[in-house]
Amino acid sequence: MPRRSSQKTWTFEPVLAMSYLKEGFDVSAKLMYDFHTKNSDTDTEPGQEFHMDWAVGYGLQNGLSGGVVGYNYWQTTDDEVNGVTAKDSRSEVGGIGMGIKYWPKQGPFTMTFKQYWEYGARNIATGPQTQFKFTYAF
């Protein structure tokens, strides 16, 4: 589904998500590839990107699960500015950490906490990341 970014471009992002669940164990991955359109105001076109999120965890009977989480990101093509390829503009970074999820059997919500530490960063801002997500289904 295309999304409009703040840089006055459109991004088209096909997604493939998969999980393997067996006896409390969960191995999941989400693969995404981004195609960006040109920003006509600045005559720039961001490079294409491949990124993936992954997790390996174990769930308990009380709705609590946890494990190792991570992500990897690679810019696969160079940016273009005024029709000229911006050499050495490709970015990449990875992150690994821990995740905890609470999903009560009777409740319409989930809570997820993830802590990542990044590695292998190139041409991108980097640092530890903490994420908390609350989801309510209605």
Side-chain angles (χ1 to χ4, degrees), residues 49 71 73-75 88-94 118-127 129:
E49 303 159 315
Y71 60 87
Y73 162 86
W74 298 272
Q75 184 176 339
D88 296 322
S89 63
R90 296 183 190 194
S91 303
E92 63 183 58
V93 67
E118 294 185 323
Y119 60 89
R122 190 183 84 172
N123 292 334
I124 195 167
T126 185
Q129 288 189 36

Side-chain angles (χ1 to χ4, degrees), residues 65-128:
S65 63
V68 179
V69 296
Y71 60 87
N72 295 88
Y73 162 86
W74 298 272
Q75 184 176 339
T76 58
T77 63
D78 291 319
D79 298 334
E80 286 188 18
V81 180
N82 298 321
V84 178
T85 300
K87 299 290 184 194
D88 296 322
S89 63
R90 296 183 190 194
S91 303
E92 63 183 58
V93 67
I96 190 166
M98 61 177 189
I100 299 170
K101 182 176 186 177
Y102 178 62
W103 190 333
K105 289 183 180 181
Q106 300 301 317
F109 69 92
T110 62
M111 292 186 293
T112 306
F113 171 83
K114 296 178 184 178
Q115 176 64 51
Y116 296 103
W117 292 272
E118 294 185 323
Y119 60 89
R122 190 183 84 172
N123 292 334
I124 195 167
T126 185

Side-chain angles (χ1 to χ4, degrees), residues 7-135:
Q7 295 91 15
K8 296 187 178 182
T9 65
W10 285 91
T11 299
F12 297 88
E13 183 180 82
V15 176
L16 173 65
M18 59 201 114
S19 291
Y20 175 76
L21 307 168
K22 185 171 183 175
E23 298 174 7
F25 285 97
D26 177 359
V27 178
S28 298
K30 182 169 68 170
L31 311 174
M32 298 151 282
Y33 197 88
D34 296 349
F35 300 91
H36 306 285
T37 62
K38 183 184 283 190
N39 180 336
S40 58
D41 290 350
T42 61
D43 199 23
T44 59
E45 185 171 349
Q48 297 175 12
E49 303 159 315
F50 173 74
H51 48 112
M52 63 186 227
D53 300 327
W54 54 268
V56 178
Y58 184 77
L60 303 173
Q61 294 293 332
N62 62 2
L64 190 63
S65 63
V68 179
V69 296
Y71 60 87
N72 295 88
Y73 162 86
W74 298 272
Q75 184 176 339
T76 58
T77 63
D78 291 319
D79 298 334
E80 286 188 18
V81 180
N82 298 321
V84 178
T85 300
K87 299 290 184 194
D88 296 322
S89 63
R90 296 183 190 194
S91 303
E92 63 183 58
V93 67
I96 190 166
M98 61 177 189
I100 299 170
K101 182 176 186 177
Y102 178 62
W103 190 333
K105 289 183 180 181
Q106 300 301 317
F109 69 92
T110 62
M111 292 186 293
T112 306
F113 171 83
K114 296 178 184 178
Q115 176 64 51
Y116 296 103
W117 292 272
E118 294 185 323
Y119 60 89
R122 190 183 84 172
N123 292 334
I124 195 167
T126 185
Q129 288 189 36
T130 303
Q131 297 177 1
F132 177 76
K133 180 170 66 170
F134 178 84
T135 305

